[in-house]
Amino acid sequence: MLALGWSVIYLSLGIAWAAGAPLYPYGRHWDSSPVPVSLLDAVSAPTGLSIIIGATTLVLLALLWLLNSARGAAPARVATGVILSYCFGLVLVGDYRPLMVVARVPVFVVSRIFFHSAEGQVGFGEFLTAMFSIPAIHGFWQLGGILLALMALGEFWRRVRGGCPVCGRSPELSWWTTRRGARRWGLIATIIAVICPLPYAVTRYLLLFGVPADGISRAQIQQGDIDAPGIWIFGAGLSTFGLLGAVLTLGLVQRWGERWPFLVPLLRGRAINPLVAIIPAGFISLLWPGSSLMFVRVNVQKTIEAGSETAGGLAHLLLSPMNLWIVWGFALAGATLAYWLRRRPDCAVCHRGQQPMRGIWQSAAQNP
């Protein structure tokens, strides 16, 4: 019902914008970037609104079908495909602005207090107004829609497949949903999620100390210090938060991610509520895919428009550390899902949770 309500509201907004209502969230006037930030920024408002209204109408009809369907037959699978395609489309037209709200606000506070950087010299009210722009708020709205749509799909398929109404487990668990299976594939996802931000952090620290990196020359570093004093401090600050996130991601497969470590007063040794890790990690994993795809697309477009045909320009395009950000979001989402599958308790209603695995890692002698 929540996903259905979200679709009705978004469809109403699209119709209102088409009728002339203000605050349409797409368009080149929202961002000074030389290339379109969002894919829908590159098309006219009538075209963008046609896409929004048409796609949201299809999703609304698909959700209505699933709400009134009791079987997972072919129409339900088509409706599922429509909803998943819509979610993927929201990711494709997403951009970096919601991520910047989350990443830049704490860095702004630190840079203003301790380093007096260019970002820190901007007034706090002015900075928040720029960060919480209409496109950024709209981006958060779309992320909420993706989450609600995926939750609706999960609830539908749990219902038609006879899953427990309390915990959602199927009568027979597949290997990847068991604790042992989730630990195995979750470890792989966690390692990938930890590695992805490291190259970007290294390049930003090199730039901070005046060492050319990521296609930025020493002359450009010096010019950056002149045009925007403290810009490299700010970049290093952003990468520091990425490193902190990588360390916290390790907790998804470590004991200190399940019980509070001794460094935490009052709580040390106590079990950590899984939601303490799942909510922030899941939220960040939602922010990354759209942002990372936008960064890669913008870099490609800038390279093409600049006519860069040299080997160095092509190498920088292919080897940019930002390319890893596409993988980062999906890996973090997988690691978070695996953490939840491991930490969820046995169900008091269906008593499922400690069942033998079936699938490629099946072992008759093992229980998950």
Side-chain angles (χ1 to χ4, degrees):
M1 291 301 295
L2 290 176
L4 192 65
W6 181 92
S7 301
V8 171
I9 294 174
Y10 198 33
L11 180 59
S12 301
L13 286 173
I15 295 173
W17 288 326
L23 305 182
Y24 173 62
Y26 294 108
R28 299 294 295 272
H29 62 284
W30 289 113
D31 197 286
S32 60
S33 174
V35 296
V37 173
S38 170
L39 287 174
L40 290 185
D41 287 342
V43 301
S44 64
T47 301
L49 286 169
S50 298
I51 295 173
I52 292 174
I53 293 173
T56 307
T57 299
L58 287 176
V59 167
L60 182 59
L61 294 175
L63 288 170
L64 285 171
W65 179 275
L66 295 183
L67 188 64
N68 294 282
S69 177
R71 298 183 302 114
R77 297 180 185 276
V78 172
T80 298
V82 169
I83 295 173
L84 290 177
S85 299
Y86 183 77
C87 291
F88 184 67
L90 291 181
V91 171
L92 286 180
V93 302
D95 56 64
Y96 74 119
R97 285 171 284 208
L99 177 64
M100 289 297 99
V101 171
V102 176
R104 293 180 69 177
V105 169
V107 175
F108 168 80
V109 173
V110 173
S111 64
R112 177 169 182 168
I113 294 175
F114 296 102
F115 300 103
H116 304 289
S117 67
E119 287 277 351
Q121 293 170 7
V122 178
F124 196 72
E126 180 183 354
F127 179 80
L128 289 182
T129 301
M131 286 291 96
F132 288 94
S133 62
I134 294 300
I137 296 172
H138 177 257
F140 284 115
W141 168 260
Q142 288 184 321
L143 292 176
I146 293 173
L147 179 61
L148 291 175
L150 294 178
M151 290 173 61
L153 283 179
E155 175 61 22
F156 170 77
W157 287 106
R158 178 206 62 76
R159 174 165 54 86
V160 300
R161 290 176 175 174
C164 174
V166 175
C167 71
R169 291 181 174 94
S170 300
E172 187 177 6
L173 298 180
S174 299
W175 66 267
W176 69 273
T177 63
T178 63
R179 293 194 180 105
R180 187 181 297 274
R183 180 178 294 277
R184 290 179 177 179
W185 67 262
L187 177 62
I188 299 173
T190 302
I191 292 173
I192 295 173
V194 170
I195 291 175
C196 283
L198 300 184
Y200 177 81
V202 170
T203 61
R204 266 47 198 174
Y205 283 119
L206 289 175
L207 293 173
L208 176 63
F209 292 105
V211 180
D214 196 18
I216 300 176
S217 65
R218 192 177 301 274
Q220 290 174 315
I221 296 174
Q222 295 171 351
Q223 189 63 41
D225 284 327
I226 296 173
D227 295 339
I231 186 174
W232 309 121
I233 294 176
F234 196 80
L238 287 175
S239 63
T240 299
F241 276 96
L243 291 177
L244 178 61
V247 172
L248 294 176
T249 301
L250 281 174
L252 298 177
V253 292
Q254 299 292 324
R255 185 181 183 278
W256 55 266
E258 299 181 10
R259 291 192 173 275
W260 292 103
F262 72 93
L263 296 175
V264 182
L266 301 179
L267 296 176
R268 58 172 63 104
R270 296 186 180 184
I272 297 177
N273 188 318
L275 293 180
V276 173
I278 291 172
I279 291 177
F283 176 69
I284 296 300
S285 66
L286 279 177
L287 289 173
W288 272 117
S291 302
S292 55
L293 286 172
M294 185 222 77
F295 281 124
V296 173
R297 175 179 57 80
V298 167
N299 285 339
V300 171
Q301 190 168 347
K302 285 182 178 179
T303 302
I304 293 175
E305 291 182 356
S308 176
E309 299 177 358
T310 64
L314 180 60
H316 171 247
L317 184 64
L318 296 176
L319 300 177
S320 172
M322 289 186 181
N323 294 344
L324 290 175
W325 290 4
I326 297 178
V327 182
W328 189 4
F330 292 106
L332 180 58
T336 305
L337 174 61
Y339 178 83
W340 172 71
L341 290 172
R342 288 194 301 105
R343 295 294 312 281
R344 60 178 179 171
D346 295 344
C347 183
V349 175
C350 66
H351 305 291
R352 297 167 187 164
Q354 289 290 344
Q355 300 178 1
M357 288 184 292
R358 62 178 176 85
I360 61 174
W361 283 333
Q362 182 178 10
S363 173
Q366 293 178 338
N367 286 329

